[in-house]
Amino acid sequence: MNTDFERLTLPIDGDFTISRGSKSTVETVVVRVGDEAGQTGVGAAAPDPHYGETADTVCAVLPDLLDAVEAVDDPLSLDAIERRLRGVVRDNPAARAAVSIAVHDLATRRLGVPLYRYFGLDADRAPATSYTVAIDDPEAMAAKAADAVAEGYSILKVKLGTDRDRERMEAVRGAAPDATVRVDANEAWTPGEAIAKSEWLADLGVEFVEQPVPAENPAGLKRVHERGTLPVAADESCVTLPDVPAVADSAEIVNLKLMKCGGVREATRMVHAARAHGLEVMLGCMVESTASIAAACHLAPLVDYVDLDGALLLAEDAYEGPTYAGGTLTVPDRPGTGVRPVESD
């Protein structure tokens, strides 16, 4: 096999703000793995500094990771490749995920089937994706929510974690009275705040609250789970497989991301572990290119909730693949993940 990678900076459609900060661009590292027959698998990393990764760290470890892929020299040996990747670097999950996505894309291209069919999944069972309304002035958030609903998105994920949360949430609900609304605080609240806010969030018809307290406070997460009014989804508290049983008595839902866990196969293990612990599962993403998010779209039929709008938040992308009309995920019925470069005019 032959391998290479390139670093891209993609513009976000406006600023994307959560409780931890704001950004207007996202850096991704695209990985390509080719075979002797001329087939090429594509993946990408969407590194998040919150988890200790940047585009620099991804580029630093990719040569060793890709050497490991070339050493296996068989794109169908997917378990062997992912084991070898973990042996090369224990951390750097986004870098490993990029390689994992690329080799899964290549393997299923060679087999002549879409990735979802390789896993035996029914693409029609994928839940609709939510559309994220980032933190902004209440009026701007209301306008964004109204625009999303007008475009057919019936599920909104509203970012909170400010001193004007209630004003912002009331503005969104006023603009989208019939939408299903989920709230994500990105670790911004204390347990007491989360419990108190869950009461009026429930009155506003919110479905559940995601990561209300810092991941470093597992007792606080359990307290919110036990005393809060709304179901709790664990995101930053559930990064890798061992975290699933650790949060099983502190949340109703776990939010899994390929960029957190390090690969396609590890994500499927986490889904099955969550089921074994009686948890519902959300499949999420970062703000990321279609080159990385497409693989998660193929796994969507495995889960209960989908938050895979990361590519929709970009002003432009270098790759195309799955589509999201009105929140309905449609994966291309062609081999692999269906990703291909956007043709320039």
Side-chain angles (χ1 to χ4, degrees), residues 223-234:
R223 182 181 164 202
V224 177
H225 164 68
E226 292 175 343
R227 301 185 187 181
T229 307
L230 290 173
V232 172

Side-chain angles (χ1 to χ4, degrees), residues 249-271:
D249 63 352
S250 302
E252 287 84 2
I253 306 159
V254 289
N255 185 358
L256 313 181
K257 299 175 182 176
L258 271 65
M259 296 300 131
K260 291 192 302 183
C261 72
V264 173
R265 305 184 89 72
E266 188 70 358
T268 62
R269 293 185 192 102
M270 291 183 72
V271 171

